[in-house]
């Protein structure tokens, strides 16, 4: 059994006039994340963790943000594209641990639906997924509510 670990990180700016998507779930919130795609910062961190685990580059190399094809792209589709790619052949998720760093909104109430969404995308059980919300105690760009950051660690088992 070949065990591979990957680390992902991402940040997007919070602005008015955009929907907020986290883990592929639309979150009720007055602000949304700005980006070329739907700016799902949590899924982007997960994608980069997966690509890191298999040594296959990063999300920007796979889906360039200057490519019109990915304008307003659904990040669920980007993750599915990676999961179904040659690079992920014979790989199964061991576990995923995800931290969403946001002063607001409160992540905890959304964790069950987010886990369901990720388990579906990663073809694993919800018990293999951990999602945690964290503030930065009003410090820095996340603390001022200027953006949301996400960190992901994933273990992949390659048979
Ligand atoms: O208490 P501590 O400083 O460790 O954590 P915090 O950032 O103040 O967050 C307290 C708790 O609120 C966390 O343990 C999460 O359960 C929850 N939380 C959340 O659901 N969504 C956030 N955006 C931030 C925190
Ligand atoms: Zn991103």
């Amino acid at each position: 059994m070949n065990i591979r670990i990957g680390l992902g990180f991402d940040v997007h700016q919070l602005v008015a006039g955009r929907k907020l998507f986290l883990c592929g779930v639309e979150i009720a919130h007055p602000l949304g994340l700005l980006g070329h795609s739907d700016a799902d910062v949590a899924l982007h961190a997960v994608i980069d963790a997966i690509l890191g685990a298999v040594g296959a580059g990063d999300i920007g190399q796979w889906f360039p943000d200057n490519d019109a094809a990915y304008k307003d792209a659904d990040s669920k589709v980007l993750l599915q594209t990676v999961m179904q790619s040659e690079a992920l052949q014979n790989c199964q998720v061991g576990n995923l641990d995800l931290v969403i760093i946001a002063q607001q909104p409160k992540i905890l109430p959304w964790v069950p639906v987010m886990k369901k969404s990720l388990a579906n995308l990663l073809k694993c059980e919800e018990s293999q997924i951990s999602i945690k919300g964290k503030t930065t105690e009003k410090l820095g760009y996340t603390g001022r509510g200027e953006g949301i950051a996400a960190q992901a660690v994933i273990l992949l088992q390659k048979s």
Side-chain angles (χ1 to χ4, degrees), residues 101-116:
I101 303 161
Q103 199 62 42
Q104 282 183 344
K106 200 88 176 157
I107 301 302
L108 194 58
W110 296 93
V111 165
V113 62
M114 287 177 171
K115 277 190 184 178
K116 184 170 272 199

Side-chain angles (χ1 to χ4, degrees), residues 11-89:
V11 178
H12 281 270
Q13 195 184 340
L14 262 179
V15 296
R18 292 268 300 184
K19 288 180 177 176
L20 177 60
F21 293 97
L22 292 170
C23 300
V25 177
E26 188 178 336
I27 308 291
H29 194 56
L31 305 175
L33 293 172
L34 187 62
H36 184 68
S37 68
D38 65 8
D40 189 325
V41 67
L43 287 190
H44 293 184
V46 171
I47 289 170
D48 263 357
I50 291 168
L51 293 176
V54 297
D58 65 52
I59 189 169
Q61 290 173 270
W62 279 59
F63 311 107
D65 66 3
N66 56 8
D67 187 332
Y70 305 115
K71 173 110 178 68
D72 297 321
D74 180 343
S75 297
K76 296 194 295 298
V77 174
L78 305 185
L79 177 50
Q80 279 166 335
T81 302
V82 169
M83 289 301 290
Q84 289 162 11
S85 71
E86 189 70 32
L88 271 289
Q89 280 284 305

Side-chain angles (χ1 to χ4, degrees), residues 121-150:
L121 291 164
L122 297 173
K123 306 273 175 260
C124 70
E125 302 295 324
E126 289 173 39
S127 60
Q128 291 165 277
I129 296 171
S130 154
I131 302 170
K132 307 192 291 282
K134 199 78 184 173
T135 72
T136 50
E137 304 284 357
K138 301 196 174 156
L139 296 169
Y141 61 90
T142 49
R144 289 188 296 268
E146 294 166 10
I148 295 180

